[in-house]
Amino acid sequence: MSLNEIIDLSHVWGYIKHIAKERLHNNITARHVYKYGPEIEVVGAAGELAARISLDLPQKLHTQFDGGKDLVFGDQSIDVKSTRLTPHIQARHLQWPLGNPINCDVAILVGVDMQSRSAKVLGFATAQEILQAPVNYSRYLPCQEIAISQLHPIEELYAHNRRNPNPTIQVPANRKSHGTPQRRTHQRS
């Protein structure tokens, strides 16, 4: 999948909103972002679904805490981070709050356009790269940050998977999942 490919999620937006509502209900803790309301969960669910589509993985989404791993691709455990897709997205960063444990091998960043109900996989960084990233202390919550322009293209995950084939998909037994929407994509020029 090309990084220029926009993933059309409009046909599964109801599913995404359902998952977001379930996550908002199930994930209420002092540390979670539930206080921002359902939109943040919609962006997260849409981003995870877009990542699953881009990697040709089953499109079932969890509704409980994921323990820092949203999916597994080959031998790589992956946490999907999502952000709003804006005209100036290249000026943004993959952010990891300082002190949060990294329980995955790779973090994928996905931009979600709420108006067009579409998403774009922006790239990924390894856990080691996140740990070595500079810290932005000017944020309310200091974060290790990697500029989007410095992320690896998603194609590198495919190349790694071809070198280390392991086609099993692991979903923790304690996670609920719902439905399997169908894939639809289109190119944006």
Side-chain angles (χ1 to χ4, degrees):
M1 169 168 286
S2 167
L3 285 179
N4 292 327
E5 188 168 348
I6 299 295
I7 301 167
D8 178 13
L9 300 171
S10 61
H11 63 290
V12 291
W13 205 253
Y15 171 70
I16 289 168
K17 287 179 75 172
H18 170 76
I19 294 296
K21 182 178 176 183
E22 289 289 316
R23 286 180 178 181
L24 191 63
H25 174 74
N26 294 331
N27 297 342
I28 297 177
T29 70
R31 205 176 134 225
H32 196 66
V33 293
Y34 77 92
K35 65 184 176 182
Y36 298 107
E39 184 176 296
I40 194 89
E41 294 291 351
V42 171
V43 170
E48 183 183 335
L49 188 61
R52 288 179 167 281
I53 290 169
S54 73
L55 296 171
D56 286 327
L57 294 176
Q59 297 172 32
K60 293 182 180 181
L61 299 178
H62 61 86
T63 59
Q64 304 289 331
F65 278 120
D66 57 29
K69 297 177 187 175
D70 289 307
L71 51 101
V72 175
F73 182 67
D75 65 346
Q76 300 289 301
S77 61
I78 299 172
D79 193 17
V80 179
K81 301 296 181 186
S82 303
T83 188
R84 302 291 299 282
L85 192 58
T86 67
H88 303 290
I89 193 70
Q90 289 301 320
R92 312 258 327 250
H93 297 80
L94 169 64
Q95 299 172 328
W96 201 279
L98 193 60
N100 276 15
I102 300 175
N103 298 324
C104 59
D105 299 309
V106 169
I108 291 178
L109 182 61
V110 179
V112 176
D113 185 329
M114 298 282 283
Q115 273 192 315
S116 69
R117 298 179 175 183
S118 63
K120 181 178 181 180
V121 176
L122 301 170
F124 75 92
T126 66
Q128 190 63 33
E129 290 166 335
I130 294 167
L131 289 170
Q132 295 172 347
V135 177
N136 179 348
Y137 288 99
S138 67
R139 298 182 49 77
Y140 169 72
L141 184 63
C143 289
Q144 291 169 288
E145 295 185 341
I146 300 175
I148 287 175
S149 63
Q150 299 299 307
L151 297 176
H152 300 276
I154 198 72
E155 290 86 355
E156 287 184 23
L157 277 180
Y158 284 105
H160 174 84
N161 193 43
R162 282 193 300 273
R163 288 190 305 271
N164 303 297
N166 179 1
T168 59
I169 307 300
Q170 301 167 355
V171 177
N174 64 342
R175 288 185 10 192
K176 295 180 187 175
S177 61
H178 298 277
T180 306
Q182 299 300 310
R183 176 183 177 156
R184 265 199 310 196
T185 61
H186 65 275
Q187 293 284 332
R188 184 176 280 173
S189 49

